[in-house]
Amino acid sequence: MTMKLKETPHKKNETALLTMVQAINDGMKTMLESDETTIILGEDIGRNGGVFRATEGLQAQFGEDRVVDTPLSESGIIGTSVGLAINGFKPIAEMQFMGFIYPAYDQIMTHVSRIRMKTMGRFSVPMVIRAPYGAGIRAPEVHSDSAEALFTHMPGIKVVCPSNPYDAKGLLIAAIEDPDPVLFLEPMRNYRSSRQEIPVEKYTIKIGNGMKLRQGEDVTIIAWGAMIPVAEKAADQAEEKGISCDVIDLRTLYPMDRDIIAESVKKTGRAVVIHEAHATSGLGNDIVSVINDTSFLYLKAPIERVTGFDVPVPFFALEEHYLPTPKRVLAGIEKTVKF
Amino acid sequence: MTMKLKETPHKKNETALLTMVQAINDGMKTMLESDETTIILGEDIGRNGGVFRATEGLQAQFGEDRVVDTPLSESGIIGTSVGLAINGFKPIAEMQFMGFIYPAYDQIMTHVSRIRMKTMGRFSVPMVIRAPYGAGIRAPEVHSDSAEALFTHMPGIKVVCPSNPYDAKGLLIAAIEDPDPVLFLEPMRNYRSSRQEIPVEKYTIKIGNGMKLRQGEDVTIIAWGAMIPVAEKAADQAEEKGISCDVIDLRTLYPMDRDIIAESVKKTGRAVVIHEAHATSGLGNDIVSVINDTSFLYLKAPIERVTGFDVPVPFFALEEHYLPTPKRVLAGIEKTVKF
Amino acid sequence: MEASYPVKQIIDDQGNFIDTSYTDLIDAKLARHLYFHMCRIRAFDRKAISLQRQGRIGTYPPFEGQEASQVGSALALGSDDWIFPTYRDHGATLTYGADMTRMFLYWNGRVEGCVPPDGKNIFPPAVPIATQIPHAVGASWAEKRKKTTNIAIAYFGDGATSEGDFHEGLNFASVFKTPTVFFNQNNGYAISVPIEKQMNSKTIAQKAVAYSIPGVRIDGNDCFAVYFETKKAIDAARSGKGPTLIESVTWRAGAHTTADDPSKYRPGEQGKDIVDPLLRLERFMKNNGYWDKEANSKMEAELNEEIEAAVTAMEQFSEARAEDMFDHVFAELPAQLVEQKESYLELLKE
Amino acid sequence: MEASYPVKQIIDDQGNFIDTSYTDLIDAKLARHLYFHMCRIRAFDRKAISLQRQGRIGTYPPFEGQEASQVGSALALGSDDWIFPTYRDHGATLTYGADMTRMFLYWNGRVEGCVPPDGKNIFPPAVPIATQIPHAVGASWAEKRKKTTNIAIAYFGDGATSEGDFHEGLNFASVFKTPTVFFNQNNGYAISVPIEKQMNSKTIAQKAVAYSIPGVRIDGNDCFAVYFETKKAIDAARSGKGPTLIESVTWRAGAHTTADDPSKYRPGEQGKDIVDPLLRLERFMKNNGYWDKEANSKMEAELNEEIEAAVTAMEQFSEARAEDMFDHVFAELPAQLVEQKESYLELLKE
Ligand SMILES: Cc1ncc(C[n+]2csc(CCOP(=O)(O)OP(=O)(O)O)c2C)c(N)n1
Ligand SMILES: Cc1ncc(C[n+]2csc(CCOP(=O)(O)OP(=O)(O)O)c2C)c(N)n1
Ligand SMILES: [Mg+2]
Ligand SMILES: [Mg+2]
């Protein structure tokens, strides 16, 4: 279909002080303006602007045809998005919480991720599935899941998870422009926890590249999304004890930046992996494998994993016990150092 | 409800020569006879006896009330089974192929696995979900998935996967008698590939225990289900090259028998993990972590993973390229030994 | 289609009989019984909202406006029946016998809030929309298999009808003729989405046609219509006639939850014309001389006491234990969970 | 309900007009056009079965008995429309323009079989039941957004109506008034499960009531009824009137697939009374003097040639390449996939 480009001109280097959820809103706005084929679908994303206000104001600006309140039907949202995507549109589908993506799991597993493969590229599904994830906001049951590993185990879809406003906008725009489906995970706890000066103009961050947040010598800490502040705090406390840490924000969970991990672990010889998903079959195990495959001879101690426990995310009175804390991470750091 | 016990008396030590699918049928028959609360639900499991004949003859013997042909509705099958299970029954739900379990993923993830937790044990869901899995039988698209990791990452459900007729019957009966939900994975390729003399009477195999298939000194090979014959062949070929292998059949994927792995790797110092699921976020990474956690100082070489590739299971003309072969496993063995 | 599903009413907004065939069936006792429970759950609901505002409980979904639907249907149940509520149906479960202290605990993030009193078949509120519908079908199917006359009732909203589980559950119920009552509260909205955007059909009752089961549409703010129509559906289920879909047309007077702001999406005037179900019953009682001022103020005082006592009990309830996060995942804890638990409890001690 | 959805017919089993309003609309050209395609796909179907028996292709699901439904509906489509078939609807896709060689390749486990001719909007057959229904809704929604008059047709079976995606797809279509035709082939069985066990409703057409969209029930073995009723639904969709649910009542004459044995679950006499759709059309053509014996045997010879040529092309098709397993997962291969691919190709060389 025709693609009228009507970029709103921004002064170069102009920036705005935004929270992550505002940056995500800005990223969608940017693409709705620049690409007529983008269309947002989801529950309560229109008038209401989404339960987290991520789509605030977008329906008013772009109309009900491009910012669509759908029925309460996740499989319907993803299934119809597949049809829109193979026929010229770029759907951005919002799952209200990651815990509610499961009804759409079949559509994502058997179609979204496989259509390019099963048509040798004749059809493709350039779509983004946005999902707020994680515990720590005193939400009801099932609202706090962290299920990235269910999608990194699904060839054909990329999985991205920013930890700050700048990365959120740049990665979201990259995801929308990606020719393949991308699951875009948004750490609810970071939505408003901090602000950042970010460019008003359109920019992208390459999917697949991690980011070194700080340089250290003794231990490599690997985390993403909502666990980044936890990693930083733990690293601070470690510094006080004279342990200096490399802190890596993976940013993309699939395809994973193995080089940034290997490069760091070859230097430090020790690694602590943090995620809030369950330990068993969590992505932390993949990182252990990456290190096993790339840095075996450099390892001075077993790799430590500090993760959510192998229990369902508990009701919120106990969620702080479920989540990795700086204290638990620090214990892991010291364990590797004292090994 | 009343539980009339009407065990059909079997002569002690009486055995029968059965294929795996016959052993599974025998296991269900045994439980239907001994426990009136067991009920089988699934698509085409009645008159038709299941597309693999696993329920052959059971409806004729036990009636349409206990062996129920359901509508074509996986979420309906699992969702109603939850209701049956919390109200006195032990449903054995058949998913026709593992690739068709995805529509029921939400019910399994948010209810089957969490009901005991969310009611502190007041309600529980003693049910078994049977699912034939794996590639190699020239089946159509989606019929060949191997998705165990999507369930080992789900606290509250156990995952079992036998590789031979004897284990299949014993583990299935244990699963049916288990107070908690069990996903019972059946390797289609092993359904009729071999026969075994197995006890006619009721017996169980403890869920959670792996099995050492052969003793060796140089390398530990860890596999399960359809990969066991591949592991055995590779071990044979390794023997010819003077490399002796410990071969472990995990049998239960969650909870995993970490002791049998650690005990072996501490002896051999080398490990090759085999599974047909995709490498990324596959269970092989968990095993790498188990070894990292338990046997770090004993490792002489990086752990090798020989798995399905990070691509959707291809259409059957290419499936043999997707699956781990003895040749690929042998290459992995030699790599660890020559490291 | 709408025409073939007229809204059944027994009394009008002024509290006068519309359907006079019920004049003998409705007496002071029944009216007061319904009124008591509607007042009770409203008092609970308003207390919960204020507790949330004070930060004494978590996010809370009020049901004000739906009291007639929830009380009328819950009182129609028998003591051995099964009830499968959503997060907004604790008016129904409290009426059916759920413990008020535990109800407050639930909304304060305590798993203890899901544990029903012994012998009460009250399932935890379904959070994933519509997932409880097949559960109700299965539980009632089990009763049928046991040859009892017990039934199950599933509560769900207008938005829930868009989910696959609604469809799959009703199809199973119709095929296996299970004793299930599908009690839909059409309160006009699914969070911000009005029913016109949720579905193209003007009624929810007509969706019963897809399964060839009875569908009825009732005035969900007329507690008598709710009570007697639900009873009919329950009796049909008990007597082996299978499931019924009830559309109880009501109104969510407040916000979706205490975290929601309806002014963003709901025209201010909308719903203004709807007569509060409690007022409507009050008018009926006055019209029929069932109104007893003293008794009422006494009742209100007692309800207030009950609720304050429950709040106190909630706040004095034993601290949440980290152990409980591990102990109820399986009947028997696997080794790795034992390890995770012990090492974490160790760390807590430090 | 059944009464309100009578089976629409244009000709009877003897090939005589029932609905004479069509006498002017049906001429020799149309009859021969339909007959040609029905013969063509039947010849393909029978050839595929024999190839499977000889182990020259994999498991195969025959559609014999459903030719009128598949050809009648496919010929009603326009060249820019979208078609979303199941694994049993290649009679329809072949008629619509799918490549016969690639069709054989598909059933021989070759992914190349899913690639449609350029410009043909033929989606790969849906293997997970009912999942294609929302796809058709989305693709037709896209056409509506582009302001074209193109539509999408979704094929699915009686069993598919039990899945959540059937319900969610039809609900979306009704809410967004998408130009979608839901073409249900009620062939009596879902593998071994007869329709009476699949649903409680006597018809599938009545399920349209749940969405307040038109539902029609047609004789799926009457190629004219299928053709003209599908055309009506398509025209309605093109002109902005939204979706239609068509129940095409037909019969699966053979096994579910070549791996299935219907004698295990289907009474031998069942279906014996059903007149083969090709014979029925042949009778009609004879009754109306459209039958041309020579032309027919010529046609059969030509079809035979076409099919043999396609089989040869399938068997001479280039070998399946391991590379293809990797190369189409993403537009650009991630590093770890490049590594997996290269190391595997290395190993193959050894
Ligand atoms: C599967 C799923 N998707 C989304 C949500 C988020 N959510 C919670 S309540 C709600 C609206 C439900 O509306 P309705 O069924 O009408 O019930 P009501 O809230 O009006 O009582 C939504 C979308 C959820 N809980 N589960
Ligand atoms: C989600 C899912 N569950 C189960 C199956 C296995 N299966 C393949 S075809 C079929 C029956 C389909 O019946 P129907 O919809 O009537 O179509 P028909 O085969 O009669 O053309 C089943 C159960 C599947 N393919 N997908
Ligand atoms: Mg509602
Ligand atoms: Mg069928």
Side-chain angles (χ1 to χ4, degrees):
Chain A
M1 70 183 290
T2 56
M3 267 189 40
K4 279 196 247 74
L5 287 175
K6 42 172 181 165
E7 287 267 21
T8 45
H10 294 300
K11 290 179 218 59
K12 265 241 155 291
N13 309 332
E14 193 185 334
T15 67
L17 186 66
L18 302 182
T19 61
M20 176 183 283
V21 71
Q22 290 169 327
I24 287 165
N25 180 284
D26 187 40
M28 285 188 276
K29 184 163 169 293
T30 304
M31 291 309 294
L32 284 164
E33 283 168 343
S34 64
D35 180 352
E36 280 237 320
T37 66
T38 51
I39 170 173
I40 307 184
L41 299 90
E43 297 156 6
D44 307 290
I45 63 160
R47 266 251 186 92
N48 197 36
V51 294
F52 289 104
R53 305 290 173 252
T55 53
E56 183 88 63
L58 297 181
Q59 189 180 64
Q61 182 176 352
F62 299 97
E64 295 201 5
D65 266 3
R66 298 193 60 199
V67 181
V68 185
D69 273 318
T70 67
L72 210 177
S73 170
E74 289 74 19
S75 191
I77 292 169
I78 301 299
T80 53
S81 292
V82 166
L84 286 159
I86 60 168
N87 197 5
F89 285 85
K90 287 188 180 174
I92 304 168
E94 173 177 302
M95 300 282 103
Q96 202 159 75
F97 289 81
M98 189 174 207
F100 304 135
I101 199 172
Y102 309 128
Y105 198 76
D106 184 40
Q107 281 288 346
I108 302 171
M109 172 62 104
T110 65
H111 293 291
V112 171
S113 63
R114 302 191 199 202
I115 284 170
R116 180 184 291 279
M117 174 281 288
K118 70 176 113 176
T119 61
M120 304 180 87
R122 173 75 158 71
F123 293 112
S124 62
V125 185
M127 71 184 275
V128 175
I129 303 172
R130 293 181 42 246
Y133 85 92
I137 64 162
R138 294 170 57 83
E141 192 213 357
V142 186
H143 287 68
S144 307
D145 287 12
S146 181
E148 61 274 7
L150 305 178
F151 297 90
T152 52
H153 195 54
M154 186 189 286
I157 189 166
K158 298 174 181 176
V159 183
V160 169
C161 183
S163 69
N164 60 63
Y166 181 85
D167 288 354
K169 179 177 176 180
L171 284 167
L172 180 56
I173 292 175
I176 296 168
E177 292 185 329
D178 198 279
D180 286 303
V182 178
L183 175 64
F184 192 81
L185 298 178
E186 303 171 2
M188 283 179 251
R189 248 181 323 162
N190 302 22
Y191 264 156
R192 296 178 173 79
S193 57
S194 70
R195 295 172 178 280
Q196 215 173 356
E197 282 292 344
I198 73 172
V200 170
E201 62 190 351
K202 177 176 166 181
Y203 65 95
T204 61
I205 292 173
K206 194 167 184 310
I207 291 173
N209 289 359
M211 169 89 161
K212 182 79 67 79
L213 299 182
R214 74 167 75 180
Q215 292 284 354
E217 298 307 316
D218 308 319
V219 189
T220 301
I221 303 181
I222 301 150
W224 59 86
M227 288 296 106
I228 292 300
V230 176
E232 297 265 31
K233 267 200 206 62
D236 291 338
Q237 295 169 10
E239 306 283 351
E240 287 163 20
K241 299 189 169 211
I243 305 167
S244 79
C245 307
D246 253 13
V247 178
I248 294 170
D249 181 349
L250 269 186
R251 301 197 300 186
T252 294
L253 307 185
Y254 188 89
M256 193 182 286
D257 186 344
R258 296 173 305 168
D259 299 343
I260 197 171
I261 296 169
E263 174 267 335
S264 172
V265 174
K266 283 175 178 165
K267 174 181 68 179
T268 63
R270 300 184 183 84
V272 177
V273 183
I274 314 172
H275 61 66
E276 83 176 75
H278 318 298
T280 299
S281 300
L283 203 61
N285 302 290
D286 292 74
I287 296 168
V288 172
S289 288
V290 167
I291 296 170
N292 168 81
D293 298 348
T294 61
S295 320
F296 179 76
L297 292 175
Y298 299 81
L299 275 182
K300 300 174 186 149
I303 300 148
E304 284 298 312
R305 286 172 300 135
V306 181
T307 71
F309 297 110
D310 285 337
V311 306
V313 182
F315 286 36
F316 71 72
L318 288 174
E319 68 184 340
E320 295 304 333
H321 286 296
Y322 171 84
L323 288 167
T325 54
K327 182 178 182 181
R328 281 177 61 200
V329 175
L330 184 62
I333 293 171
E334 290 182 300
K335 196 167 165 205
T336 57
V337 173
K338 296 191 179 127
F339 179 78
Chain B
M1 69 183 292
T2 56
M3 267 188 42
K4 279 197 247 75
L5 287 176
K6 40 173 181 161
E7 287 266 22
T8 45
H10 295 300
K11 290 178 218 61
K12 265 243 154 292
N13 311 332
E14 193 184 334
T15 68
L17 186 67
L18 302 182
T19 61
M20 177 183 283
V21 71
Q22 289 169 328
I24 288 166
N25 179 282
D26 186 40
M28 285 189 276
K29 185 163 170 293
T30 304
M31 291 310 293
L32 284 163
E33 283 169 342
S34 64
D35 181 353
E36 281 237 322
T37 66
T38 51
I39 169 173
I40 307 184
L41 298 89
E43 298 156 5
D44 307 291
I45 63 160
R47 266 251 185 91
N48 197 37
V51 295
F52 290 104
R53 305 289 172 252
T55 53
E56 185 87 63
L58 297 181
Q59 189 180 64
Q61 182 177 352
F62 299 97
E64 296 202 4
D65 266 2
R66 297 193 60 199
V67 181
V68 185
D69 273 319
T70 67
L72 209 177
S73 170
E74 289 74 18
S75 190
I77 291 169
I78 301 299
T80 53
S81 292
V82 166
L84 286 160
I86 60 168
N87 197 6
F89 286 85
K90 288 187 179 173
I92 304 169
E94 173 176 301
M95 300 283 101
Q96 201 160 76
F97 289 82
M98 189 175 206
F100 305 134
I101 199 172
Y102 309 126
Y105 199 76
D106 184 41
Q107 281 288 347
I108 302 171
M109 173 61 103
T110 65
H111 292 292
V112 171
S113 63
R114 302 191 199 203
I115 284 171
R116 179 183 293 279
M117 175 281 289
K118 70 176 115 179
T119 61
M120 302 180 88
R122 173 74 157 70
F123 293 112
S124 61
V125 184
M127 70 185 275
V128 175
I129 302 172
R130 292 182 42 246
Y133 85 93
I137 64 161
R138 293 169 57 83
E141 193 212 356
V142 186
H143 288 67
S144 307
D145 287 12
S146 181
E148 61 274 7
L150 305 178
F151 297 89
T152 51
H153 194 54
M154 186 189 285
I157 190 167
K158 299 174 181 177
V159 182
V160 168
C161 183
S163 68
N164 60 64
Y166 181 85
D167 288 354
K169 178 177 176 179
L171 283 167
L172 180 55
I173 292 175
I176 296 168
E177 292 185 329
D178 197 278
D180 286 303
V182 178
L183 175 64
F184 192 82
L185 299 178
E186 302 171 3
M188 286 178 248
R189 247 179 325 161
N190 302 22
Y191 264 156
R192 296 178 174 81
S193 57
S194 71
R195 294 173 178 279
Q196 216 174 355
E197 282 291 345
I198 72 172
V200 170
E201 62 190 351
K202 177 176 167 182
Y203 66 95
T204 60
I205 292 173
K206 193 167 183 313
I207 291 174
N209 289 359
M211 169 91 162
K212 182 79 66 80
L213 298 181
R214 74 167 75 180
Q215 292 284 353
E217 298 307 317
D218 308 319
V219 189
T220 300
I221 302 181
I222 301 149
W224 59 85
M227 288 296 105
I228 291 301
V230 176
E232 296 265 30
K233 267 200 207 62
D236 291 339
Q237 294 169 12
E239 306 283 350
E240 287 163 19
K241 300 190 170 212
I243 306 166
S244 80
C245 307
D246 253 14
V247 178
I248 294 170
D249 181 349
L250 269 187
R251 302 198 299 187
T252 294
L253 307 185
Y254 188 89
M256 193 182 284
D257 186 343
R258 296 171 307 167
D259 300 343
I260 197 172
I261 296 169
E263 174 266 335
S264 171
V265 174
K266 283 176 178 164
K267 174 182 68 180
T268 62
R270 299 183 184 85
V272 177
V273 183
I274 314 173
H275 61 65
E276 79 177 79
H278 318 297
T280 299
S281 299
L283 204 60
N285 303 289
D286 292 75
I287 296 168
V288 171
S289 288
V290 167
I291 296 169
N292 167 81
D293 298 347
T294 61
S295 319
F296 180 76
L297 292 175
Y298 299 82
L299 275 182
K300 300 174 186 150
I303 300 147
E304 284 299 312
R305 288 172 299 136
V306 181
T307 71
F309 297 110
D310 285 337
V311 308
V313 182
F315 286 35
F316 71 72
L318 288 174
E319 68 183 341
E320 295 302 335
H321 285 296
Y322 171 84
L323 288 167
T325 53
K327 183 178 181 181
R328 280 176 61 199
V329 175
L330 185 62
I333 292 171
E334 291 182 300
K335 197 166 164 208
T336 57
V337 173
K338 294 189 181 131
F339 180 79
Chain C
M1 255 303 143
E2 200 169 0
S4 28
Y5 293 93
V7 173
K8 295 200 183 180
Q9 295 182 313
I10 292 178
I11 62 170
D12 65 17
D13 285 343
Q14 300 315 313
N16 302 313
F17 271 106
I18 291 174
D19 184 340
T20 48
S21 67
Y22 283 89
T23 42
D24 302 349
L25 294 165
I26 299 174
D27 58 10
K29 188 157 163 300
L30 177 62
R32 291 184 178 140
H33 191 43
L34 287 158
Y35 190 69
F36 166 79
H37 280 287
M38 286 163 68
C39 291
R40 179 171 177 262
I41 65 170
R42 171 160 299 179
F44 173 93
D45 197 51
R46 291 187 171 176
K47 183 67 184 185
I49 293 169
S50 76
L51 289 175
Q52 191 281 331
R53 295 236 171 83
Q54 301 160 38
R56 291 159 71 186
I57 63 171
T59 305
Y60 175 81
F63 50 69
E64 181 151 336
Q66 303 179 211
E67 291 88 350
S69 289
Q70 296 198 16
V71 169
S73 55
L75 290 180
L77 292 167
S79 58
D80 293 332
D81 292 331
W82 286 78
I83 180 167
F84 292 82
T86 75
Y87 48 83
R88 201 187 301 286
D89 301 310
H90 40 294
T93 52
L94 280 168
T95 302
Y96 190 59
D99 178 78
M100 193 180 280
T101 300
R102 287 189 179 256
M103 196 57 70
F104 280 125
L105 283 168
Y106 179 81
W107 292 110
N108 207 16
R110 297 294 298 270
V111 66
E112 292 85 347
C114 284
V115 184
D118 285 340
K120 279 275 171 214
N121 299 322
I122 302 172
F123 208 62
V127 168
I129 300 298
T131 51
Q132 75 279 17
I133 294 173
H135 302 163
V137 175
S140 56
W141 192 2
E143 294 296 337
K144 182 181 181 182
R145 287 285 319 280
K146 297 181 201 173
K147 303 204 168 16
T148 73
T149 57
N150 304 327
I151 65 102
I153 187 168
Y155 286 85
F156 58 103
D158 41 289
T161 63
S162 297
E163 290 281 9
D165 275 0
F166 162 79
H167 174 67
E168 299 189 33
L170 267 71
N171 187 50
F172 266 68
S174 71
V175 167
F176 298 108
K177 231 164 186 280
T178 59
T180 324
V181 176
F182 300 103
F183 191 83
N184 177 270
Q185 285 170 86
N186 176 357
N187 65 2
Y189 279 82
I191 304 187
S192 70
V193 179
I195 186 160
E196 317 84 64
K197 287 187 173 181
Q198 192 68 239
M199 64 194 73
N200 184 51
S201 65
K202 292 263 171 304
T203 77
I204 286 167
Q206 75 194 69
K207 298 181 188 293
V209 171
Y211 318 100
S212 288
I213 63 171
V216 291
R217 193 158 198 245
I218 61 179
D219 181 339
N221 298 336
D222 173 349
C223 59
F224 297 115
V226 175
Y227 176 76
F228 285 104
E229 286 302 321
T230 308
K231 236 186 178 358
K232 272 188 209 161
I234 290 171
D235 294 342
R238 290 200 203 292
S239 58
K241 295 197 184 66
T244 302
L245 171 61
I246 298 174
E247 176 185 2
S248 186
V249 182
T250 180
W251 179 248
R252 195 192 79 203
H256 170 67
T257 69
T258 49
D260 173 54
D261 171 14
S263 69
K264 290 202 72 198
Y265 53 79
R266 207 163 66 171
E269 68 284 359
Q270 206 183 356
K272 288 266 172 296
D273 55 327
I274 292 164
V275 175
D276 175 70
L278 274 73
L279 174 60
R280 192 161 160 184
L281 178 52
E282 183 183 323
R283 286 172 176 167
F284 172 85
M285 291 168 79
K286 285 175 172 162
N287 297 344
N288 292 272
Y290 300 156
W291 190 255
D292 177 335
K293 211 160 174 319
E294 285 69 60
N296 267 341
S297 38
K298 188 160 161 298
M299 173 188 77
E300 269 162 31
E302 283 165 5
L303 287 180
N304 194 29
E305 268 175 45
E306 182 193 11
I307 289 165
E308 288 308 328
V311 172
T312 311
M314 179 263 290
E315 294 187 325
Q316 290 173 355
F317 202 83
S318 57
E319 277 257 321
R321 299 165 57 250
E323 293 85 331
D324 281 327
M325 176 171 70
F326 298 96
D327 291 346
H328 309 289
V329 180
F330 292 101
E332 201 185 312
L333 237 55
Q336 42 272 64
L337 264 182
V338 173
E339 258 178 46
Q340 290 182 15
K341 175 184 172 184
E342 287 172 353
S343 63
Y344 181 62
L345 294 180
E346 263 320 302
L347 192 76
L348 279 184
K349 291 208 198 83
E350 286 169 20
Chain D
M1 256 303 143
E2 200 169 1
S4 27
Y5 293 92
V7 173
K8 295 199 182 180
Q9 296 182 311
I10 291 178
I11 63 170
D12 64 17
D13 284 344
Q14 301 315 315
N16 302 314
F17 272 105
I18 291 174
D19 185 340
T20 49
S21 66
Y22 283 89
T23 43
D24 303 349
L25 295 165
I26 298 174
D27 57 12
K29 187 157 165 301
L30 177 61
R32 289 183 179 139
H33 192 42
L34 286 158
Y35 189 71
F36 166 79
H37 281 287
M38 286 163 69
C39 291
R40 179 170 178 264
I41 66 170
R42 171 162 297 179
F44 174 93
D45 197 51
R46 291 187 172 174
K47 182 68 184 184
I49 292 169
S50 77
L51 289 175
Q52 190 281 331
R53 296 236 171 80
Q54 301 160 39
R56 291 161 70 187
I57 63 171
T59 305
Y60 176 81
F63 50 70
E64 181 153 336
Q66 303 179 211
E67 291 89 350
S69 289
Q70 297 199 16
V71 169
S73 54
L75 290 181
L77 293 168
S79 58
D80 293 333
D81 292 330
W82 286 79
I83 181 166
F84 291 82
T86 75
Y87 48 83
R88 200 186 301 287
D89 301 310
H90 40 296
T93 52
L94 281 169
T95 302
Y96 189 60
D99 178 78
M100 194 181 277
T101 301
R102 288 189 179 257
M103 196 58 70
F104 280 125
L105 283 167
Y106 179 80
W107 292 111
N108 207 15
R110 297 293 299 270
V111 66
E112 292 86 346
C114 285
V115 184
D118 285 339
K120 279 275 170 214
N121 299 322
I122 302 172
F123 209 61
V127 168
I129 299 299
T131 52
Q132 75 279 18
I133 294 173
H135 301 164
V137 176
S140 56
W141 193 1
E143 294 296 337
K144 181 181 180 180
R145 285 287 318 281
K146 298 180 200 173
K147 302 203 171 13
T148 73
T149 57
N150 304 326
I151 65 100
I153 187 168
Y155 287 85
F156 57 103
D158 42 291
T161 64
S162 297
E163 291 282 8
D165 275 359
F166 162 78
H167 174 67
E168 299 190 33
L170 268 70
N171 187 50
F172 266 69
S174 70
V175 167
F176 297 107
K177 232 164 184 279
T178 59
T180 326
V181 175
F182 299 103
F183 191 84
N184 176 270
Q185 287 170 86
N186 176 356
N187 65 1
Y189 279 83
I191 304 187
S192 70
V193 179
I195 186 159
E196 318 82 65
K197 287 186 174 181
Q198 192 68 239
M199 64 194 74
N200 185 50
S201 64
K202 292 263 170 304
T203 78
I204 286 165
Q206 76 194 68
K207 297 180 188 295
V209 171
Y211 317 100
S212 287
I213 63 171
V216 291
R217 194 158 197 245
I218 62 180
D219 181 339
N221 297 334
D222 173 349
C223 59
F224 297 115
V226 175
Y227 176 76
F228 285 103
E229 285 302 322
T230 307
K231 236 185 178 357
K232 271 187 210 162
I234 290 171
D235 294 342
R238 290 200 202 291
S239 58
K241 296 197 184 65
T244 302
L245 171 61
I246 298 174
E247 176 184 3
S248 186
V249 182
T250 180
W251 179 248
R252 195 192 79 202
H256 170 67
T257 69
T258 50
D260 173 56
D261 170 15
S263 71
K264 291 202 73 202
Y265 54 79
R266 208 163 64 171
E269 65 286 356
Q270 206 182 356
K272 288 266 173 295
D273 54 328
I274 291 164
V275 175
D276 175 70
L278 274 73
L279 174 61
R280 192 161 160 183
L281 178 53
E282 181 183 325
R283 286 172 177 168
F284 172 84
M285 291 168 80
K286 285 176 173 161
N287 297 345
N288 293 272
Y290 300 158
W291 189 255
D292 177 337
K293 210 160 174 315
E294 285 71 59
N296 267 340
S297 38
K298 188 159 160 299
M299 173 186 78
E300 267 162 31
E302 284 164 4
L303 286 180
N304 194 29
E305 269 174 44
E306 180 192 11
I307 289 165
E308 288 307 329
V311 172
T312 312
M314 180 262 291
E315 293 187 327
Q316 291 173 354
F317 203 83
S318 58
E319 277 258 321
R321 300 163 58 249
E323 292 84 331
D324 282 327
M325 175 170 71
F326 298 95
D327 292 346
H328 308 288
V329 181
F330 292 101
E332 200 185 314
L333 237 56
Q336 42 272 63
L337 264 181
V338 172
E339 259 179 45
Q340 289 181 15
K341 175 184 173 185
E342 286 172 356
S343 63
Y344 181 61
L345 294 179
E346 263 321 301
L347 191 77
L348 279 184
K349 291 209 199 83
E350 286 169 20

